[in-house]
Amino acid sequence: MTIAIHVLLTFGLLALTVLSLWAPLPAIRGNRAWPWCGGLVLAILAGLHGGILDWRAPLSIAVFAALAWGAREARGKHVRALLLVLTTVAALALALHKAPGFHNPLLADGIRFSGDGAPFALWANFDKAVVGIVLVGVFCERIGSAAEWREMLRRIAPVVASVLVVVLGLGWLLGQIRLDVKWTPWSAWFLASNLLITCVAEEAFFRGFLLEKMAHAMRGWRGGVLVATLVTSILFGLAHLGGGSLLALLATIAGLHYAAAYLLSKRVEGAILAHFALNAVHFLAFTYPSLAR
């Protein structure tokens, strides 16, 4: 098998695993985790066979999943707090590509999606995908009916409109982007991986996990939810500091919108779709990632 086929097989299975989080499949002995757990195992086996993972990767994933499940099931307050901190550290290690065993393929380097855009490297990140799968699977209550999807979309519609106007408008005014409607040979892969890996992982971590746990811990504080929202949005901005201070500022403003979508819809899906809406419109209709300097 060629490298391309290994990548397609591994990440195809990983994409199906993400989608299985919302699949209306019956529980087995009351357990609804079996579809995504089984899918993740198959993706890991494909990754091992294709050299995308080595033997350390399944151990890294197992440790992360065990910490997450332990944090969810812990009864003692102090034990739960410790496990939540360790889950956070493990999630960051995976998302930042610090966990051992992952050899994420570089699909293309120095791509210019726009003629005057900054060069971009396109990676397929198995470890980051795992963060989203496990955090959504363990901690997030998922939408299970068409009526719930419609209600969620109704609630987040004003937030989506606002994030598009505010963030893209500021990006334009600050000279970071310009109008550039396009479709490239990489567009389908970019949009699929951005939704299923980037948006799911980042919203599962920053909103479904971090914001939810911080807001719960601060529920007795006056303005606790607001503090949790501000802190997690600033952290989200800082996570984008590698792209420069202006990107970090825009990401912080976007993070406030994603938090609003999460809080208004009470669903991680609301934050995921608000995030993807901004990323997709940015990619398809404006300079991506930003104007070259």
Side-chain angles (χ1 to χ4, degrees):
M1 293 176 71
T2 66
I3 294 175
I5 293 175
H6 283 305
V7 170
L8 287 173
L9 176 61
T10 300
F11 285 89
L13 288 170
L14 208 55
L16 289 175
T17 302
V18 176
L19 294 173
S20 76
L21 289 162
W22 288 275
L25 298 173
I28 294 181
R29 295 183 179 179
N31 183 6
R32 294 189 177 276
W34 67 269
W36 68 264
C37 289
L40 185 55
V41 169
L42 291 176
I44 290 169
L45 292 175
L48 289 169
H49 180 67
I52 295 168
L53 310 177
D54 66 42
W55 63 270
R56 298 169 297 172
L59 295 180
S60 299
I61 295 169
V63 168
F64 175 50
L67 289 170
W69 250 302
R72 188 187 70 179
E73 300 298 325
R75 294 294 175 259
K77 181 172 65 174
H78 298 298
V79 173
R80 185 185 304 113
L82 175 60
L83 289 173
L84 286 172
V85 169
L86 293 175
T87 300
T88 302
V89 172
L92 287 172
L94 286 162
L96 297 174
H97 318 304
K98 301 300 182 183
F102 298 88
H103 308 288
N104 297 317
L106 176 61
L107 304 179
D109 195 15
I111 308 173
R112 290 187 184 269
F113 294 119
S114 303
D116 54 359
F120 189 81
L122 195 61
W123 293 83
N125 293 316
F126 195 109
D127 41 10
K128 189 168 184 176
V130 168
V131 173
I133 291 166
V134 173
L135 291 182
V136 171
V138 173
F139 293 107
C140 299
E141 181 181 354
R142 275 95 75 196
I143 290 177
S145 70
E148 288 179 314
W149 279 106
R150 288 193 296 271
E151 177 63 15
M152 180 273 294
L153 291 171
R154 183 188 68 80
R155 289 180 179 231
I156 71 167
V159 180
V160 171
S162 177
V163 75
L164 292 176
V165 171
V166 172
V167 175
L168 293 175
L170 280 174
W172 197 340
L173 289 173
L174 293 170
Q176 295 295 294
I177 56 173
R178 65 169 181 82
L179 194 65
D180 180 36
V181 179
K182 58 191 172 298
W183 183 265
T184 76
W186 291 104
S187 294
W189 177 279
F190 175 88
L191 293 172
S193 64
N194 191 265
L195 172 60
L196 299 177
I197 297 179
T198 302
C199 294
V200 170
E202 292 183 2
E203 293 313 309
F205 179 73
F206 283 101
R207 260 58 68 170
F209 178 69
L210 208 57
L211 173 57
E212 179 66 28
K213 298 306 178 188
M214 287 184 66
H216 180 75
M218 297 178 181
R219 64 190 182 280
W221 298 17
R222 186 174 181 178
V225 174
L226 177 59
V227 171
T229 298
L230 291 173
V231 169
T232 54
S233 298
I234 291 170
L235 291 174
F236 181 72
L238 292 174
H240 292 78
L241 199 55
S245 57
L246 283 179
L247 177 60
L249 172 63
L250 293 171
T252 300
I253 296 170
L256 289 169
H257 283 83
Y258 306 153
Y262 178 75
L263 294 170
L264 286 172
S265 66
K266 297 180 173 57
R267 299 291 191 183
V268 73
E269 294 90 345
I272 290 169
L273 291 182
H275 192 157
F276 180 65
L278 177 62
N279 287 0
V281 172
H282 178 190
F283 180 81
L284 293 173
F286 294 88
T287 314
Y288 194 90
S290 62
L291 290 168
R293 299 301 177 195

